[in-house]
Amino acid sequence: MSAWKESIEGLFIGFTSAVGVISTYQTLVSCGGLFRKKEAVTHKPQKTFAVLIAAHNESAVIAPLIENLKKLDYPRDMYDIFVICDNCTDNTAELAREHGAIACERFDSSKRGKGFGIEWMLENLWSMPKQYDAVVMFDADNLVEKNFLMVMNDRLCKGARVIQAYLDSKNPFDSWITLSYAVTYWFTNRMWQLARHNLGLPNTLGGTGLCIESKLLKEMGWGATSLTEDLEFATRCIERGIYPTWAHDTKVYDEKPIDLRSSMRQRLRWMQGHYDVAGRYIGSMLKNAIKAGRLGMLDAAFYLFQPMYVLIMTMMSVLFLARFFDTGGMFSFTQLLPSWLLYGTTALIYLLPFVALYLDKVPLKGYLGLLLLPFFFLTWLPIFFYAFFTKKNQVWSHTSHTRAIRIEEMQ
C-alpha cells in the first residue's frame, strides 16, 4: 500500500476510533434516561424567590407570562416578579407594570445582551431592602407549569444550589422547524439531562427555567456575559465542584422560531457562544477533572467539545457510506474497535430518540419530527463551521417572539 493510502487509512481509523469511544460513552450515559424515579415534593414553602424575566421589546408576549406567574401554586407573598426591560424601545415596561410586575429599565448600548442585563439586575437586587433565598430566570416568551416554585423550593431544601427545569415548546407543530426543535429538546431532556441527573453527573443550563441559590450568586458573582450566558455560568459552577441538577417534574415552555432564517440566526448565536466558552474553559475543566479525579468535570468538558464531536460524527457518516461501496479495502476502519461495538453503538444512537419520545408520552404526531431530524441536522453543519471562525463575535442577535399563548392553552 502506498504512503498516501496508509495516511488516508490512518486518518480514517483515527476518526473512527474517536467517534467509537465517544459514542459508546454517550450511549451508555444516555441509557441512564431509560428510568425515572418520581421525586416527590416533601417540603412546604420555605424559600423566597426573585423571579427575573429577561425582556427586550417583548410587548407581544410579556403579559401572558406575568399572568401565568402570578397564579403559581406558591404563596404569593414569597416571590416577586421582576421584568428586566433591557434597552427596550417599545412599551414592555408599561405592560409589565400594568400586569403587576416590577419593571426595571436598563439603557446601555455598550453592553447589549441577556448576560449583561442579568448582571445589572442582580447588582440592583442585592442592594434592595428585601432579599431572597433564590433567583429564578425566565425569558419573556415563556410559560410555566404551576408547580414550578414548589419543585424549586423542594430541591433547594434538599441541598441543590443550581437547578434546571424541563424545557418544552409552546409551538411544536407550527412548522417543520419548530417540530425539529421540539424533538431535539424532548430527546435531550430525557436522554441527556435526566440521564445525567440519575447518574449524578452535572446537568447543563438551558438559559431559562433555571433556579440559582442567592448565596451562591453572591459568592461567585454572575460573571456570564457571553452569547451563551447559561453555558458560561454552568461551566464556572462545575469548575468549583457545584453541579447543576435537573427537575424533570416541572416544565417551562418557550417559543421556537418558525422559519429557517430566524432559526439559523438563533443557532449561530448559540454556537458562537459555545465555541467562545469552550475555548476559554475546556482546558481548565480537563485539568481540574484529572487533578480531582471527577468524572462529572470530564463529562462537562465533553459537552464543551460537542460541536467538534458533531463534525467528527459527520465525517463518520461519510465513512460508513464509503465502507459499503468500498471494494479495495481502503476503508478498513474497524481495526481498532470491534465491529459489533461500532455498529451496535451507532444503532442505539438512532434508536434512543424513539425511546425518549415514548417514555415522555409525546403525542403521536410528534414522531413525525424524527423523520425531519436528518434534514434539520444538515442545516446545523454550515452553522458549526461558520461559528468556529466567528466565535469572537459578541453582538447579541435578538429572536423576535409573537405568539401570545396562555398557559391554559398548553394544558
Side-chain angles (χ1 to χ4, degrees), residues 110-302:
S110 64
K111 294 181 177 179
R112 304 182 68 89
K114 182 179 173 182
F116 287 112
I118 291 173
E119 189 168 61
W120 173 85
M121 185 68 232
L122 291 175
E123 290 172 358
N124 284 273
L125 197 64
W126 306 148
S127 64
M128 293 179 182
K130 183 177 181 179
Q131 295 294 293
Y132 305 87
D133 296 313
V135 172
V136 170
M137 299 181 189
F138 297 111
D139 290 335
D141 62 297
N142 292 164
L143 293 171
V144 187
E145 285 194 333
K146 290 187 176 182
N147 68 339
F148 185 90
L149 288 183
M150 282 297 296
V151 172
M152 295 302 153
N153 170 77
D154 189 68
R155 298 292 194 276
L156 290 168
C157 290
K158 291 174 179 175
R161 307 189 75 184
V162 185
I163 310 145
Q164 174 64 57
Y166 188 111
L167 294 179
D168 210 336
S169 173
K170 284 200 312 189
N171 58 332
F173 304 110
D174 278 1
S175 71
W176 79 273
I177 296 291
T178 60
L179 183 54
S180 298
Y181 266 103
V183 169
T184 303
Y185 273 74
W186 291 329
F187 170 74
T188 302
N189 287 331
R190 186 83 196 199
M191 297 304 183
W192 186 288
Q193 298 281 41
L194 180 62
R196 280 164 170 76
H197 176 66
N198 287 337
L199 298 174
L201 297 172
N203 288 105
T204 58
L205 298 181
T208 187
L210 58 147
C211 175
I212 307 171
E213 182 191 59
S214 294
K215 183 180 178 181
L216 175 63
L217 279 167
K218 292 176 181 178
E219 286 175 0
M220 61 183 288
W222 176 245
T225 56
S226 68
L227 296 182
T228 47
E229 79 293 331
D230 48 352
L231 175 62
E232 186 173 9
F233 184 77
T235 301
R236 293 179 60 230
C237 288
I238 296 167
E239 274 195 324
R240 290 163 172 75
I242 301 165
Y243 289 1
T245 189
W246 177 248
H248 203 80
D249 301 318
T250 187
K251 291 183 178 182
V252 175
Y253 302 89
D254 72 350
E255 181 184 328
K256 303 295 191 274
I258 295 175
D259 61 277
L260 183 59
R261 182 177 181 180
S262 299
S263 167
M264 294 190 74
R265 185 166 58 244
Q266 181 188 64
R267 287 180 285 148
L268 176 61
R269 172 169 57 83
W270 290 350
M271 280 302 101
Q272 287 171 331
H274 195 118
Y275 279 122
D276 174 40
V277 173
R280 290 188 284 125
Y281 289 98
I282 195 168
S284 58
M285 186 71 77
L286 284 170
K287 180 180 178 181
N288 291 346
I290 296 171
K291 184 177 180 181
R294 299 286 295 273
L295 177 60
M297 293 182 181
L298 191 63
D299 185 76
F302 164 68

